[in-house]
Amino acid sequence: MGAKSTDTDFAHLRHRMVVDQLRARHLDDDRVLAAMEKVPRHLFVPETQRHAAYNDGPLPIGAGQTISQPYMVARMTELLRLSPTDRVLEIGTGSGYQAAILAELAGEVWTLERHADLADRAAELLLELGYTNVHVIICDGSLGLPEMAPFDAIVVTAAAPAVPDCLKAQLGFNGRMVIPVTSGHNEDLRLIERSAPLGQQDDVKNEKGLDSSFRETSILACTFVPLIGKEGYPQ
Ligand code: SAH
């Protein structure tokens, strides 16, 4: 599409994206699909990429980083099973697009980014679009945000060498975390679910009998930019 593309053109492309890329691949969470249908993805990519904003793939956003493929954003969001009052932590703000989707579905979102220029641009756009429930913070997100923990959901949008223990510790009881972990030449998208402690949920048993436990499930192979930081890869 040319420079004169209208909001209606983009809305049409966005609808095709939901039908052809998401529903066709069996994503069927109505709340997630409604958020994907609503958030103007083309505003989160550089102007030179706008024509490709609703294509079935990732796109460059500057600083050597990428906005993830729409399917990956929707799939990760679906795995988080968000409720309207949930407190969510995202690591890797990038363009701010995933944060906007989270903000549509949850109560409050904290999103962490190590590149100040990306964080500033994302914060400005999110505010312009009226997302007052998103807090963009410039820091090493591999350490999470302990001062705001616990979170109902944590999503990491960069590939980690392993699941950082500090992030597991910041997940609340019954919390869900989605994180790509390096495995061979690719990454493996993992879902980590924290159960409630004994007493609150009878069928959970572990050695201490007091703590909650974590269940880790491998979801699919994927490709992400690296998580760089203290609990990630060295710079
Ligand atoms: N969720 C983004 C895409 C993220 S790309 C979107 O919707 O556009 C991954 C991002 O993680 C990059 O912007 C990269 O700079 C950031 N990142 C990598 N390591 C990080 C760290 N330790 N802390 C915070 N951000 C990090």
Side-chain angles (χ1 to χ4, degrees):
M1 283 197 309
K4 296 229 175 66
S5 302
T6 64
D7 285 351
T8 318
D9 295 331
F10 284 121
H12 175 72
L13 289 176
R14 197 154 57 241
H15 181 66
R16 294 307 332 159
M17 172 191 82
V18 169
V19 173
D20 300 340
Q21 301 172 34
L22 310 182
R23 277 194 194 281
R25 291 190 182 114
H26 310 294
L27 294 188
D28 57 7
D29 182 319
D30 287 337
R31 292 186 72 228
V32 174
L33 294 175
M36 297 292 294
E37 179 102 39
K38 179 173 171 192
V39 176
R41 181 174 164 94
H42 60 281
L43 299 182
F44 290 85
V45 302
E47 266 186 59
T48 52
Q49 299 292 334
R50 214 151 265 184
H51 64 284
Y54 296 99
N55 289 1
D56 189 12
L59 289 171
I61 54 171
Q65 307 303 322
T66 53
I67 178 174
S68 304
Q69 179 195 26
Y71 173 75
M72 192 55 68
V73 173
R75 184 78 193 270
M76 291 171 89
T77 307
E78 192 170 287
L79 289 165
L80 296 174
R81 301 193 306 272
L82 298 173
S83 303
T85 55
D86 278 353
R87 297 158 44 84
V88 183
L89 176 67
E90 179 192 26
I91 296 154
T93 312
S95 67
Y97 176 68
Q98 170 82 73
I101 297 288
L102 298 171
E104 288 285 342
L105 299 170
E108 207 157 4
V109 179
W110 287 265
T111 178
L112 315 180
E113 173 57 56
R114 60 186 287 272
H115 281 294
D117 49 345
L118 290 178
D120 291 345
R121 208 181 315 149
E124 198 178 317
L125 178 57
L126 287 163
L127 206 59
E128 229 172 83
L129 293 175
Y131 293 107
T132 51
N133 58 338
V134 183
H135 314 279
V136 183
I137 298 164
I138 301 163
C139 66
D140 174 7
S142 72
L143 299 169
L145 193 63
E147 60 270 37
M148 288 299 163
F151 298 99
D152 300 295
I154 298 179
V155 56
V156 183
T157 64
V163 183
D165 282 337
C166 62
L167 296 186
K168 285 166 89 169
Q170 290 172 41
L171 203 54
F173 298 140
N174 297 317
R176 293 82 55 199
M177 169 160 51
V178 175
I179 178 169
V181 179
T182 305
S183 160
H185 291 301
N186 266 24
E187 280 94 47
D188 178 29
L189 190 68
R190 307 252 178 97
L191 169 66
I192 291 145
E193 295 162 286
R194 185 174 195 173
S195 64
L198 276 181
Q200 289 184 40
Q201 188 180 302
D202 293 339
D203 58 346
V204 178
K205 292 195 173 53
N206 60 36
E207 312 91 289
K208 287 182 188 154
L210 290 171
D211 202 359
S212 65
S213 63
F214 294 89
R215 187 170 74 164
E216 203 166 313
T217 316
S218 176
I219 304 291
L220 82 165
C222 54
T223 311
F224 279 85
V225 298
L227 179 74
I228 293 172
K230 241 184 170 149
E231 293 295 322
Y233 290 98
Q235 200 155 357

